[in-house]
Amino acid sequence: PRGWIWQWFQRTQPWLWQRSIVPLLALLLSEVLSQVFPGPGAIAFVVPALVWCAMAYGVFPTAVLNLLVSIWEFSLMAMGTVTFAPEFVIEVTSLRTGMSLLSLAPLAVACAYGLHKQTLHQLSHIVNHDFLTGALARRALMECGRSLLQRLEHERRSVAVVMLDLDHFKRINDRYGHAQGDEVLKKFVELAHTILRPGDLLGRMGGEEFALILA
């Protein structure tokens, strides 16, 4: 993560203890199984769990887990599992290659999966939000508003639906040009978002017409 170490907790995505701990438990269980059933293939026991961690936690936590797992595996090798002698160069090279793949595969999955999620988020934002102002698009407002109204009706809570129309907007376009009119629309949505609560919905119906759904 960018910034100083003490700033990581504020700038990064939720860390391990803020997410599901199941992938981490699967990693620990895989390592235990590799000790219960030792052998040349035991080094690969943790790969599925590491890939799961990569998809659940992101790039940086996966890098930390990879580092810890690699140190642990190499420590076990150094304590007698493998003899680092010239006559065993093929076996040692094979194990080191396996360790490299063990380290790189989860990181590759974490990077690819992170980019995939980021792309889907960007596409979803483009589809569901007005390209000019950033307010909800008409269709998205209708869908989100319908779900919100159903939930509020089930909870027997009140709701207000407000229609907004900017006064004399045509005069602004005629006098200052459409580019300045666009700036007025964007500034209006910025101001509205500073006032509205997180659960309130603001959407652009078209032109200078907006709608609010307030729980």
Side-chain angles (χ1 to χ4, degrees), residues 5-183:
I5 294 179
W6 55 84
Q7 297 172 327
W8 289 358
F9 297 95
Q10 303 166 351
R11 297 187 178 183
T12 58
Q13 297 295 322
W15 286 59
L16 298 183
W17 53 84
Q18 296 174 278
R19 300 187 180 185
S20 173
I21 199 173
V22 177
L24 188 59
L25 293 177
L27 179 61
L28 296 176
L29 179 61
S30 301
E31 188 59 47
V32 171
L33 290 177
S34 68
Q35 302 306 312
V36 175
F37 303 101
I43 193 175
F45 281 13
V46 297
V47 173
L50 276 175
V51 171
W52 191 5
C53 291
M55 299 177 67
Y57 301 141
V59 177
F60 182 68
T62 302
V64 174
L65 290 174
N66 258 341
L67 174 65
L68 297 177
V69 170
S70 299
I71 291 175
W72 172 254
E73 295 291 348
F74 269 118
S75 299
L76 291 178
M77 293 183 206
M79 287 189 295
T81 306
V82 178
T83 302
F84 291 88
E87 57 268 24
F88 297 102
V89 63
I90 296 179
E91 290 81 358
V92 172
T93 302
S94 176
L95 281 172
R96 286 178 171 170
T97 303
M99 286 297 302
S100 300
L101 296 177
L102 174 66
S103 302
L104 293 175
L107 288 176
V109 171
C111 293
Y113 189 70
L115 290 174
H116 177 69
K117 290 178 60 178
Q118 181 180 354
T119 303
L120 287 179
H121 178 73
Q122 292 173 347
L123 289 175
S124 176
H125 187 274
I126 291 173
V127 170
N128 294 322
H129 291 78
D130 176 57
F131 74 98
L132 177 63
T133 62
L136 286 174
R138 178 175 182 145
R139 185 183 68 176
L141 178 67
M142 294 295 186
E143 294 176 354
C144 296
R146 187 180 299 110
S147 300
L148 178 61
L149 291 175
Q150 291 175 352
R151 179 171 62 84
L152 294 175
E153 182 181 9
H154 178 73
E155 297 174 356
R156 298 184 180 276
R157 295 173 55 193
S158 59
V159 62
V161 179
V162 183
M163 296 297 298
L164 301 173
D165 186 288
L166 301 187
D167 293 339
H168 313 298
F169 186 72
K170 185 177 184 302
R171 189 184 305 173
I172 296 173
N173 280 336
D174 293 341
R175 183 170 181 179
Y176 300 104
H178 289 278
Q180 291 303 313
D182 291 345
E183 292 298 322

